[in-house]
Amino acid sequence: MSEPIRFYFRAAVHEVQGVAPTQTVLQHLREDLHCTGTKEGCAEGDCGACTVVVGTLVDGQVELKAVNACIQPLPTLDGKALFTVEDLQQPDGALHPVQQALVECHGSQCGFCTPGFAMSLWGMYLKVDGAPARKAIDDCLSGNLCRCTGYRPIIDAARRMTELPRVQFDTAALAVQLQALRRDSLSVYAAHGQAFYAPRTLAELAQLRAIHPSATLLAGATDVGLWITKQMRALGDIVYLGHVEALKSVAIDGGVVEIGAGVTLEAAYTELCRHYPQELGEMRQRFASLPIRNAGTLGGNVANGSPIGDSMPWLIALGAEVVLHAVDGERRLALEDFYLDYMKKDLRPGEFVRAVRVPLPRAGIAFRTYKLAKRFDQDISAVCAAFAFRVDGATIVSARIAFGGMAGTPKRAAAAEALLAGRAWDEAALDAAMAALAQDYAPLSDMRASADYRLRTARNLLRRFWLETRPDAPLAARDVNAFAA
Ligand SMILES: Cc1cc2nc3c(=O)[nH]c(=O)nc-3n(C[C@H](O)[C@H](O)[C@H](O)COP(=O)(O)OP(=O)(O)OC[C@H]3O[C@@H](n4cnc5c(N)ncnc54)[C@H](O)[C@@H]3O)c2cc1C
Ligand code: FES
Ligand code: FES
């Protein structure tokens, strides 16, 4: 029996039946509802023209976050609230301060990108009181592209919007609406011969996975969304993880932080940056864009297992484990053992990723991760490197090196690691390890980088790590929790 998709939209509960479970939020807005303020640029989460704000009830509190409507399947909205650029207009017809600021600062020229910028800015407006810092503005706008303005006027608008008379948003009233839409047990939406299962508990999820081992698991849809819009792939039945509260927990236990597979990338990196502020700070900022991090999950990144995914190299270098759950129990694997071959994982029928366990900083470990991509923001890595060395004085006790973009899976550098263990962390050891990387990796040439570029830069990233962590490195460079007592 199919239940309708129900979400809060334009101050009412909106119900949908009969559309394919893979229809995107953007398609529904533009093609079914004729709400054409939200634009389609790329249909792959890159340009931000489709940015909307989604409201969710979390522990009784409303969270409002910008996401890309073009890659979100519509049934994921069930129980949530959807806001588009048309919602910004005030009851008296006046522009919202976000829009007024864009007008005053000349933040719009052709206007195609403007609704997306307005919604990203509104997402920030709801959180800040005074003028936002430049870094916060850059982060907020990292997922929005504009071909006309050169960005400076839009950044001005981001500051100006907070100087205009404030417009309050009634989150308490929205919480009441969302509470009324809550479902406490499995819901099923079915149409066009395809089912969209939305379990609420771990037990329901495990049962469903056992019954439908080949259904597509869907978390934040920032990979799967592109299978729909770009690859036109038939997904079959879908099991959605986004309502399973048990997958959203973060717990610290015995020197490990366990991040539930359903924790968003933004929340996961926020937590991990509390423990590794300098080491992971840049990676957090450079991982996709804020709207992608608001939707995508750490579990999805790990489970997708792309050889160019950004979390795996540093997770592997730190010795993280993946927790695999099924009806008959759980097992834990070192993350590097999870990846068997290109996009092939050690995931048995009926299993799913429940959590990722990340060791917390330990004394004597020097750890860094570096991302090389053509752009600073919102770009996939050509090469991603991570190094975690246990050091005693000037000697390397053990070395863990992992790279993305260098093989068909995220992969450790066994030869270089073996060569470094027990040696002084000096230039001779560095040179030998740089040479050994050619034994560990035979990278491919593709549109992101040539094989030669990849091997050279991998070696140079190891040199950078040495420059920053060698025993006689200037303190300012070394002082990133490295060699912490
Ligand atoms: C514009 C854009 C920019 C991006 N930039 C980056 C980037 O900079 N770095 C990077 O690494 N990635 C990037 N990505 C990829 C993507 O955002 C990440 O891989 C993200 O973490 C995927 O998580 P998700 O929750 O959206 O997964 P989904 O798309 O929902 O799922 C991804 C895969 O994992 C499976 N899956 C999900 N959860 C589980 C689970 N718990 N158990 C078992 N299987 C599961 C799904 O079945 C699917 O195969 C980008 C994507 C886009 C669209
Ligand atoms: S249309 Fe480009 S991000 Fe959605
Ligand atoms: S105003 Fe033309 S793309 Fe931004």
Side-chain angles (χ1 to χ4, degrees):
M1 242 297 269
S2 175
E3 292 154 272
I5 304 164
R6 295 177 313 166
F7 58 95
Y8 187 71
F9 181 61
R10 304 278 194 266
V13 175
H14 181 69
E15 285 200 4
V16 186
Q17 286 272 36
V19 307
T22 48
Q23 190 188 53
T24 65
V25 172
L26 183 63
Q27 285 163 343
H28 186 62
L29 279 171
R30 293 183 59 85
E31 294 165 23
D32 297 344
L33 305 180
H34 307 292
C35 297
T36 51
T38 311
K39 302 290 186 253
E40 179 175 62
C42 63
E44 60 181 54
D46 266 316
C47 73
C50 67
T51 309
V52 294
V53 168
V54 169
T56 318
L57 204 56
V58 181
D59 297 331
Q61 302 294 316
V62 171
E63 286 187 356
L64 291 154
K65 291 180 180 166
V67 300
N68 303 100
C70 65
I71 51 173
Q72 276 303 306
L74 189 68
T76 64
L77 276 189
D78 188 66
K80 302 178 186 170
L82 173 66
F83 298 94
T84 69
V85 70
E86 290 90 346
D87 291 300
L88 294 187
Q89 190 180 39
Q90 298 307 290
D92 63 358
L95 294 179
H96 188 278
V98 164
Q99 297 166 305
Q100 185 61 37
L102 281 164
V103 172
E104 287 180 17
C105 299
H106 306 285
S108 182
Q109 288 185 25
C110 81
F112 192 83
C113 68
T114 309
F117 273 98
M119 294 312 284
S120 281
L121 288 173
W122 188 56
M124 182 164 67
Y125 183 87
L126 293 167
K127 291 192 186 78
V128 296
D129 238 348
R134 173 61 193 262
K135 195 163 180 297
I137 297 171
D138 289 352
D139 200 37
C140 157
L141 300 180
S142 58
N144 293 88
L145 298 179
C146 175
R147 298 228 166 232
C148 306
T149 64
Y151 298 102
R152 202 260 307 138
I154 302 175
I155 292 165
D156 290 346
R159 296 194 181 102
R160 175 70 184 139
M161 68 185 186
T162 58
E163 294 163 4
L164 296 168
R166 183 135 189 110
V167 169
Q168 296 299 341
F169 180 82
D170 192 349
T171 46
L174 182 57
V176 172
Q177 297 292 343
L178 292 179
Q179 191 60 43
L181 289 177
R182 262 183 75 94
R183 301 182 202 260
D184 293 322
S185 59
L186 170 71
S187 60
V188 186
Y189 171 76
H192 298 247
Q194 197 177 14
F196 186 98
Y197 299 101
R200 262 58 189 176
T201 66
L202 204 58
E204 284 178 349
L205 170 59
Q207 283 290 346
L208 273 171
R209 194 73 190 133
I211 301 166
H212 304 283
S214 54
T216 301
L217 289 179
L218 180 73
T222 62
D223 284 313
V224 173
L226 279 69
W227 303 355
I228 300 168
T229 61
K230 294 288 145 167
Q231 299 176 5
M232 316 295 167
R233 241 200 254 183
L235 299 187
D237 291 339
I238 294 170
V239 175
Y240 179 51
L241 311 178
H243 292 303
V244 181
E245 285 307 315
L247 294 180
K248 296 186 183 168
S249 68
V250 173
I252 293 181
D253 171 33
V256 168
V257 54
E258 185 174 285
I259 312 261
V263 174
T264 63
L265 288 160
E266 181 61 10
Y269 272 87
T270 299
E271 171 65 19
L272 290 158
C273 284
R274 278 196 325 113
H275 308 291
Y276 293 105
Q278 283 101 336
E279 294 94 332
L280 292 179
E282 184 176 313
M283 181 57 83
R284 175 209 180 148
Q285 201 188 345
R286 299 191 61 193
F287 194 117
S289 62
L290 184 60
I292 293 288
R293 295 196 304 273
N294 280 340
T297 60
L298 187 64
N301 202 218
V302 163
N304 192 48
S306 162
I308 46 175
D310 283 334
S311 305
M312 287 69 91
W314 65 260
L315 284 169
I316 290 173
L318 283 179
E321 290 180 319
V322 65
V323 184
L324 305 173
H325 190 99
V327 249
D328 52 0
E330 275 194 350
R331 64 189 176 112
R332 281 191 205 166
L333 273 185
L335 185 57
E336 61 264 38
D337 296 336
F338 185 54
Y339 302 113
L340 303 177
D341 205 342
Y342 176 68
M343 300 303 271
K344 215 171 139 207
K345 276 87 55 175
D346 183 359
L347 202 57
R348 297 174 189 157
E351 276 184 337
F352 56 89
V353 177
R354 183 183 64 73
V356 182
R357 291 172 59 82
V358 188
L360 292 172
R362 290 150 289 170
I365 303 283
F367 163 54
R368 297 285 198 285
T369 187
Y370 308 110
K371 169 170 177 164
L372 287 184
K374 288 182 179 156
R375 280 188 299 158
F376 186 84
D377 289 314
Q378 180 78 311
D379 201 1
I380 304 286
S381 292
V383 174
C384 183
F387 309 98
F389 286 13
R390 178 176 292 282
V391 188
D392 183 5
T395 306
I396 303 165
V397 178
S398 60
R400 291 179 68 95
I401 299 175
F403 277 95
M406 295 292 287
T409 61
K411 186 173 170 253
R412 280 177 74 177
E417 289 180 2
L419 198 142
L420 287 167
R423 285 187 66 158
W425 192 205
D426 57 19
E427 196 157 11
L430 168 73
D431 288 343
M434 284 171 69
L437 289 180
Q439 278 169 258
D440 286 314
Y441 301 108
L444 289 177
S445 292
D446 65 14
M447 63 176 178
R448 292 187 211 289
S450 68
D452 179 54
Y453 173 90
R454 286 191 154 110
L455 190 56
R456 273 187 208 215
T457 52
R459 287 174 164 156
N460 288 341
L461 290 172
L462 180 55
R463 175 170 288 277
R464 177 173 169 188
F465 178 64
W466 177 71
L467 288 169
E468 290 179 9
T469 62
R470 67 200 155 110
D472 58 344
L475 259 186
R478 273 183 62 191
D479 185 25
V480 186
N481 301 353
F483 307 104

